[in-house]
Amino acid sequence: MPKIAIVQAGTVLYDKVATLEKVKKYVVEASENGAELVLFPEAFIGGYPKWNNFGITMGTRTPEGRKEFKRYFENAIEEHGEESKSIESLASQKNIHIVIGVVEREASTLYCSVFFYSPEGYLGKHRKLLPTALERCVWGQGDGSTMPVFNTSVGKIGSAICWENYMPLYRMTLYNKEVQIYLAPTVDDRDVWLSTMRTIALEGRCFVVSACQYLKSSAYPSDHLLRKEHGDDTVLIRGGSCAVDPLGTVLVEPDFTQETIRYTEFDLSDIALGKMDLDVVGHYSRPDVFQLTVNENQMSTVTNKKE
């Protein structure tokens, strides 16, 4: 019965060193409480700069907004960079799986990604397929090459980030890979998020675990305009982390009041209880009527060919 720690906390915006210290703190706490996997929210390292518009309006950008983006860009991390290696080392030291939302930097593009670590090392990543709304102005799009389900000692784990959970074809892709523990890091703190997680658990007949940030305006640096406007105690993202079993029973109820770490544990063999009468990629499917084609190739704008 895997025990999972769900971190409901916020980034220290524009300070990845301090954020990494928070990662260490929560990983140590999770490990000391017997967790085998710890899940962090979307964009935990690098940050989700709520209410920040980066000076973008239709058809125009501002010099101040460009400087803001530069500051944000400099706090992103690389897949095999120093920060990632430190998390890899932490997973090994504490004998725990770490699944964490990051702002990933590759060349001059940022991505909203999830990095997966096991006690044995770095496993890989998932990049958000389609950033939502203004997110598209600061994050690039992922492709089908980073949609993994990893077979770990905890179970088969995969991830959908925030509103990717409203992409039914991506969900089907994860179900087809036999995901058992469906991990949903997010910043969506609405009341309806729990109903979304329950729907996915029921649809996929899997365990669903979601971690959401709890972020106050004090997360911004003291010199930041939003900090000056809203003070220290305005709640920007209010949490709502949760966990649901394959029959829709809520294992961890949302808490909208505080930064916290929650725990859940379950028996993966209970997945069979749900699969008995519903398997959307198995006996409850109609491949003679519906088929999904998935392109999992890594896509590149420039392809060099030699005769």
Side-chain angles (χ1 to χ4, degrees), residues 13-15 46 54 65-76 220-225:
L13 288 166
Y14 302 128
D15 192 340
F54 291 93
R66 293 185 187 278
K67 291 178 182 177
E68 181 89 20
F69 178 78
K70 178 184 177 184
R71 197 174 186 182
Y72 188 60
F73 185 88
E74 290 170 346
N75 276 275
Y220 278 102
S222 59
D223 65 345
H224 198 280
L225 179 62

Side-chain angles (χ1 to χ4, degrees), residues 10-298:
T11 307
V12 184
L13 288 166
Y14 302 128
D15 192 340
K16 61 185 174 183
V17 174
T19 300
L20 282 164
E21 284 300 311
K22 289 190 76 170
V23 171
K24 182 177 180 180
K25 168 194 165 187
Y26 279 117
V27 168
V28 169
E29 182 176 339
S31 175
E32 289 176 348
N33 282 282
E36 298 171 66
L37 183 149
V38 55
L39 174 66
F40 287 84
E42 176 184 17
F44 191 78
I45 298 177
Y48 194 91
K50 191 75 177 281
W51 291 2
N52 201 325
N53 61 20
F54 291 93
I56 297 168
T57 53
M58 187 68 76
T60 65
R61 267 72 59 197
T62 67
E64 294 79 14
R66 293 185 187 278
K67 291 178 182 177
E68 181 89 20
F69 178 78
K70 178 184 177 184
R71 197 174 186 182
Y72 188 60
F73 185 88
E74 290 170 346
N75 276 275
I77 68 171
E78 297 178 348
E79 182 178 12
H80 301 295
E82 178 184 348
E83 297 85 3
S84 182
K85 288 178 180 177
S86 72
I87 300 171
E88 183 178 16
S89 176
L90 184 61
S92 175
Q93 292 169 16
K94 298 302 175 182
N95 192 35
I96 195 170
H97 294 76
I98 301 172
V99 180
I100 185 166
V102 306
V103 179
E104 177 195 2
R105 182 176 66 238
E106 182 177 77
S108 58
T109 299
L110 302 182
Y111 299 92
C112 180
S113 299
V114 169
F115 287 179
F116 297 79
Y117 304 87
S118 79
E120 289 73 41
Y122 176 69
L123 296 175
K125 69 184 178 187
H126 166 59
R127 280 179 176 168
K128 197 173 191 177
L129 290 166
L130 189 65
T132 302
L134 190 68
E135 294 173 1
R136 294 175 203 171
C137 295
V138 292
W139 296 337
Q141 298 183 37
D143 62 28
S145 67
T146 67
M147 302 188 300
V149 169
F150 296 106
N151 192 2
T152 73
S153 59
V154 179
K156 294 179 180 178
I157 61 174
S159 179
I161 306 168
C162 205
W163 275 25
E164 283 189 316
N165 289 281
Y166 294 115
M167 300 178 76
L169 302 186
Y170 179 50
R171 298 200 307 266
M172 285 291 286
T173 301
L174 294 180
Y175 302 154
N176 190 57
K177 294 182 178 185
E178 300 182 350
V179 65
Q180 295 174 309
I181 306 174
Y182 182 114
L183 301 168
T186 189
V187 296
D188 192 330
D189 61 358
R190 298 171 302 157
D191 291 337
V192 296
W193 187 250
L194 177 61
S195 61
T196 299
M197 297 297 97
R198 294 187 77 182
T199 296
I200 292 170
L202 284 163
E203 176 183 73
R205 291 309 207 229
C206 51
F207 289 94
V208 174
V209 182
S210 181
C212 185
Q213 288 208 30
Y214 185 87
L215 188 76
K216 286 188 173 184
S217 49
S218 57
Y220 278 102
S222 59
D223 65 345
H224 198 280
L225 179 62
L226 287 170
R227 176 82 172 267
K228 293 177 180 177
E229 286 181 0
H230 299 287
D232 292 345
D233 293 322
T234 301
V235 176
L236 305 181
I237 307 172
R238 65 183 185 133
S241 305
C242 59
V244 187
D245 79 6
L247 292 177
T249 303
V250 178
L251 304 175
V252 174
E253 292 280 354
D255 179 339
F256 297 105
T257 66
Q258 62 184 323
E259 181 169 312
T260 184
I261 184 168
R262 312 287 296 281
Y263 295 91
T264 184
E265 53 187 317
F266 38 73
D267 187 344
L268 292 178
S269 69
D270 285 346
I271 290 174
L273 301 175
K275 294 281 190 180
M276 181 190 79
D277 57 358
L278 182 67
D279 183 348
V280 294
V281 292
H283 63 77
Y284 211 87
S285 66
R286 284 293 304 275
D288 56 321
V289 180
F290 307 109
Q291 289 189 333
L292 171 63
T293 300
V294 182
N295 179 5
E296 295 198 26
N297 292 316
Q298 184 174 1

